[in-house]
Amino acid sequence: MEPVMAIVVGALFATSIYMMLRRSIVKLVIGLILLSNAANLLIFTVGGMKRGLPPLIDEGMKMPTGGWADPLPQALILTAIVISFGVLAFAVVLIHRAYEVVQEDDLDKMRSTDT
């Protein structure tokens, strides 16, 4: 499953960079969303994909017996999801306000507008 996830992560990174290089500010934000999702999937894949195994240690044990899932990547991804949602909400409001003021979606035209 890891090779498939590596291909998916690579495709998401490539797509996000392509979208961020476009001149539309909406496509820039879509690229940022894809970039954060690709980074989350990368952390998840590097942490190891164990199907059906809990990130728990039995009571009274110092080390887990058998297989177990690492809880650290899951906690990092959860934190990254919350932060990226806040950044996305801020970016959407910022784009909306910029479009109201400039009446343009193209970044090159926004820069050359004298308002």
Side-chain angles (χ1 to χ4, degrees):
M1 190 67 179
E2 281 88 359
V4 174
M5 289 300 290
I7 293 170
V8 169
V9 168
L12 277 174
F13 271 117
T15 306
S16 68
I17 292 190
Y18 176 77
M19 293 295 283
M20 288 191 302
L21 291 175
R22 302 292 93 203
R23 294 190 333 194
S24 171
I25 196 165
V26 175
K27 291 179 184 175
L28 174 75
V29 171
I30 292 171
L32 287 173
I33 294 168
L34 288 175
L35 185 69
S36 68
N37 287 335
N40 289 341
L41 280 177
L42 179 66
I43 293 170
F44 186 68
T45 304
V46 168
M49 298 176 67
K50 309 274 194 280
R51 178 176 282 180
L53 298 177
L56 304 171
I57 299 174
D58 294 330
E59 187 174 338
M61 303 289 292
K62 291 188 178 186
M63 291 294 292
T65 57
W68 58 283
D70 189 9
L72 182 64
Q74 297 172 13
L76 288 174
I77 290 169
L78 183 61
T79 305
I81 289 170
V82 171
I83 292 171
S84 66
F85 181 72
V87 169
L88 172 66
F90 176 72
V92 167
V93 170
L94 188 65
I95 288 170
H96 180 67
R97 181 67 181 142
Y99 185 77
E100 281 181 352
V101 170
V102 182
Q103 295 294 319
E104 195 64 51
D105 184 28
D106 192 352
L107 289 171
D108 290 336
K109 292 178 184 174
M110 281 181 152
R111 183 177 37 171
S112 65
T113 304
D114 296 325
T115 39

